[in-house]
Amino acid sequence: MIAKLGIALLGAAAAWAGLRWFEKANLYIPDRQLTILPATFGLAYENVDFTAEDGVRLHAWFVPASTAPTKGSPTARTLVMFHGNGGNISHRVDKLRIFRGLGLSVFMFDYRGYGHSNGSPSEQGTYLDGAAAVRWLKENKGLEEGALVYYGESLGCAVAMETALHHPPAAFIFDSGFTSVLEMAKAIYPWLPAKYFLRARYDNLAKAPKLKTPLLVAHSPEDQIIPFAMGHALFDAAPEPKEFFQLRGGHNDGFLETPDYAQAFAAFLKKHAP
């Protein structure tokens, strides 16, 4: 009897460990190798190492606008890029060039476990990483939240959302984000009892009504990963001022397939964060 109970407990533990691995493997797909640098395209940049509140060392690039800001001096807006769940900052250099072309400085950082950042990703860990990025900009560039624009893509929308609730920026761009991890799990794996084992929530829909910053939601009806309806649901839940921008193309190439991608963001920022 005791032996059977032990085997059952071991089986349950193995199943639980398997579910934990399955969740993390689907949620975070980091790449440790930086494949391209801003300098590849002739952009000056600063290599940044900073530390999250729990002591994890993180890595980032600060790419200044044409004139680099100095501490305490007036400056153009700085866009903080919260990237998606795959790869690292080096896979977003094309977007960096777009935002830099709008006259913005850009701060792009890797979450723990991504690129040259230490640690292993988790929901609470990525929230600490977002807060640390804002803190570094305040302490080292003299930039208060009102001088910042948050840009989130996919999973990064959730990290940016949490950061925006505690450190409201001048404007927030929510690009191809989901309502919550639970709703995503239901959409992708409808046969899984996800609500009983998911630890990560990233519940953007519950947080959206609490936003106190102008919001631009961008999403494509052709998005093959995150349903277009999720973009609309989040837009509906958020308070004014807000705008919706319909992208073209798939989840990862909408910025390339949408001809007026940069212009739409420029118009939004001119209106809400001049």
Side-chain angles (χ1 to χ4, degrees):
M1 180 67 178
I2 294 176
K4 289 182 178 180
L5 179 60
I7 292 172
L9 289 174
L10 284 174
W16 183 253
L19 289 172
R20 295 271 65 77
W21 172 86
F22 181 78
E23 176 185 359
K24 196 165 187 177
N26 279 270
L27 195 53
Y28 307 111
I29 311 173
D31 189 332
R32 285 295 194 177
Q33 184 176 0
L34 300 182
T35 57
I36 195 170
L37 302 174
T40 305
F41 296 97
L43 298 178
Y45 72 102
E46 179 182 347
N47 249 320
V48 175
D49 288 311
F50 62 110
T51 306
E53 188 178 358
D54 60 351
V56 175
R57 188 193 63 79
L58 305 170
H59 175 253
W61 293 331
F62 181 81
V63 184
S66 55
T67 302
T70 57
K71 190 170 183 178
S73 68
T75 179
R77 299 287 185 195
T78 294
L79 182 139
V80 185
M81 184 185 294
F82 297 78
H83 67 68
N85 74 330
N88 56 52
I89 54 176
S90 72
H91 301 111
R92 275 80 185 179
V93 174
D94 282 343
K95 285 189 176 180
L96 161 65
R97 297 172 70 194
I98 290 173
F99 296 135
R100 179 82 170 26
L102 298 179
L104 298 163
S105 297
V106 179
F107 186 74
M108 49 200 309
F109 69 100
D110 270 322
Y111 314 121
R112 58 192 62 205
Y114 285 75
H116 290 177
S117 292
N118 292 344
S120 178
S122 67
E123 180 176 8
Q124 293 306 317
T126 55
Y127 292 159
L128 292 177
D129 301 343
V134 174
R135 185 171 65 250
W136 186 88
L137 288 167
K138 293 176 71 173
E139 294 176 354
N140 293 274
K141 297 298 179 183
L143 300 172
E144 295 299 323
E145 288 93 335
L148 305 179
V149 173
Y150 295 170
Y151 169 82
E153 60 169 31
S154 196
L155 176 69
C157 291
V159 185
M161 176 73 78
E162 178 71 13
T163 307
L165 294 184
H166 301 282
H167 307 280
F172 180 12
I173 299 171
F174 192 98
D175 190 341
S176 307
F178 50 76
T179 50
S180 72
V181 168
L182 180 58
E183 292 305 312
M184 280 297 299
K186 289 178 181 178
I188 300 174
Y189 305 110
W191 44 271
L192 271 179
K195 67 178 181 180
Y196 296 112
F197 72 83
L198 277 180
R199 285 186 177 178
R201 296 291 167 169
Y202 289 114
D203 196 343
N204 294 317
L205 192 61
K207 297 174 183 178
K210 304 173 187 176
L211 279 175
K212 297 181 179 178
T213 185
L215 175 69
L216 175 65
V217 177
H219 214 120
S220 170
E222 303 165 49
D223 193 319
Q224 76 281 23
I225 296 177
I226 298 179
F228 184 56
M230 287 193 177
H232 270 293
L234 188 126
F235 175 79
D236 292 340
E240 296 284 356
K242 59 185 177 180
E243 298 180 18
F244 191 94
F245 175 51
Q246 184 167 308
L247 302 174
R248 300 181 189 176
H251 184 71
N252 293 313
D253 61 5
F255 74 104
L256 296 172
E257 297 295 326
T258 307
D260 52 345
Y261 185 85
Q263 292 89 331
F265 290 174
F268 171 73
L269 295 178
K270 183 176 181 181
K271 181 178 179 180
H272 296 287

